[in-house]
């Protein structure tokens, strides 16, 4: 069984509330930020175009910083799985600037057989195409998809993957021990 991980909310932490407050406290800013995010994550628009749609001067550095916290207990689990010969892969909704930052700063990305960044594959979760792209690249139907968002887990299950709704490392460890 291949384990296909989501990044944010599983390996990396959710967006930093402190940095988010530095970016803006205006509800209309965050409404626009999220409304236009899927196109940015998918790579349909550049950072400049995205921030124009948000209606704000570019905050690329702050945005990258807001998403840059990592759960090192999860990174240790990735190393354990890789060292045990387990096939692991990554599927993340992520814009290009953030993807490049992670590649520059986190060598553990090399543990993944496939790194499917939405900005480079043209599909973002929960779109069916994101999961099909991964399945096609991995060449296997026995895939466990791990994500903190239930809608993404359900979407993976619709293409024949097993799903695990991630709520913490202990539950994931128990599941993986039961399915070596």
């Amino acid at each position: 069984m291949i384990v296909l991980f989501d990044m944010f909310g599983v390996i990396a932490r959710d967006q930093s509330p402190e940095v988010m407050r530095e970016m803006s406290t205006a509800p209309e800013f965050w409404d626009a930020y999220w409304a236009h995010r899927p196109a940015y994550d998918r790579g349909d628009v550049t950072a400049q175009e995205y921030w124009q749609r948000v209606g704000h001067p570019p905050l690329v550095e702050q945005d990258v910083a807001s998403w840059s916290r990592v759960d090192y207990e999860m990174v240790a689990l990735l190393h354990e799985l890789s060292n045990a010969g387990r096939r692991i892969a990554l599927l993340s909704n992520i814009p290009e600037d953030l993807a490049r930052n992670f590649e520059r700063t986190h060598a553990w990305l090399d543990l993944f057989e496939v790194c499917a960044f939405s900005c480079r594959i043209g599909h973002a979760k929960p779109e069916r195409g994101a999961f099909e792209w991964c399945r096609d690249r991995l060449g296997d139907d026995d895939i466990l998809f791990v994500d903190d968002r239930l809608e993404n887990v359900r979407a993976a299950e619709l293409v024949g993957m097993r799903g695990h709704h991630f709520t913490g490392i202990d539950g994931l460890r128990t599941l993986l021990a039961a399915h070596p």
Side-chain angles (χ1 to χ4, degrees):
M1 174 178 62
I2 301 167
V3 184
L4 177 62
F5 287 92
D6 168 49
M7 176 100 75
F8 301 101
V10 178
I11 301 165
R13 299 188 190 281
D14 287 328
Q15 199 170 19
S16 163
E18 297 81 19
V19 179
M20 290 174 72
R21 279 192 298 277
E22 291 171 12
M23 291 169 69
S24 180
T25 56
E28 14 344 298
F29 170 88
W30 291 106
D31 290 345
Y33 178 96
W34 291 114
H36 299 289
R37 195 68 183 205
Y40 186 38
D41 283 346
R42 206 172 26 253
D44 295 343
V45 297
T46 65
Q48 187 68 31
E49 292 166 327
Y50 169 69
W51 288 104
Q52 282 176 330
R53 290 178 180 192
V54 171
H56 197 281
L59 295 173
V60 175
E61 287 181 30
Q62 296 93 326
D63 192 45
V64 167
S66 76
W67 292 104
S68 295
R69 301 176 308 151
V70 173
D71 182 340
Y72 286 100
E73 188 177 8
M74 281 299 299
V75 171
L77 176 61
L78 297 175
H79 282 280
E80 289 172 31
L81 294 172
S82 179
N83 290 339
R86 192 77 162 281
R87 293 176 69 193
I88 58 175
L90 180 71
L91 171 58
S92 181
N93 287 355
I94 187 171
E96 185 62 36
D97 294 304
L98 186 52
R100 281 195 309 259
N101 181 68
F102 264 83
E103 289 171 329
R104 268 192 319 272
T105 58
H106 299 294
W108 49 263
L109 285 173
D110 292 340
L111 298 172
F112 296 114
E113 183 176 326
V114 167
C115 277
F117 293 142
S118 59
C119 62
R120 297 179 184 162
I121 68 171
H123 302 281
K125 299 172 290 169
E127 295 167 6
R128 182 179 187 90
F131 301 101
E132 291 172 339
W133 190 97
C134 290
R135 186 187 59 215
D136 292 347
R137 295 315 177 280
L138 292 166
D140 198 320
D141 286 332
D142 190 13
I143 300 170
L144 171 68
F145 178 65
V146 178
D147 197 308
D148 65 313
R149 300 183 134 226
L150 198 52
E151 69 180 313
N152 294 336
V153 171
R154 297 290 176 249
E157 292 171 340
L158 289 174
V159 299
M161 294 180 182
R162 290 189 238 179
H164 175 71
H165 182 217
F166 182 84
T167 57
I169 194 169
D170 294 335
L172 178 58
R173 281 188 180 280
T174 300
L175 176 66
L176 293 174
H179 296 90

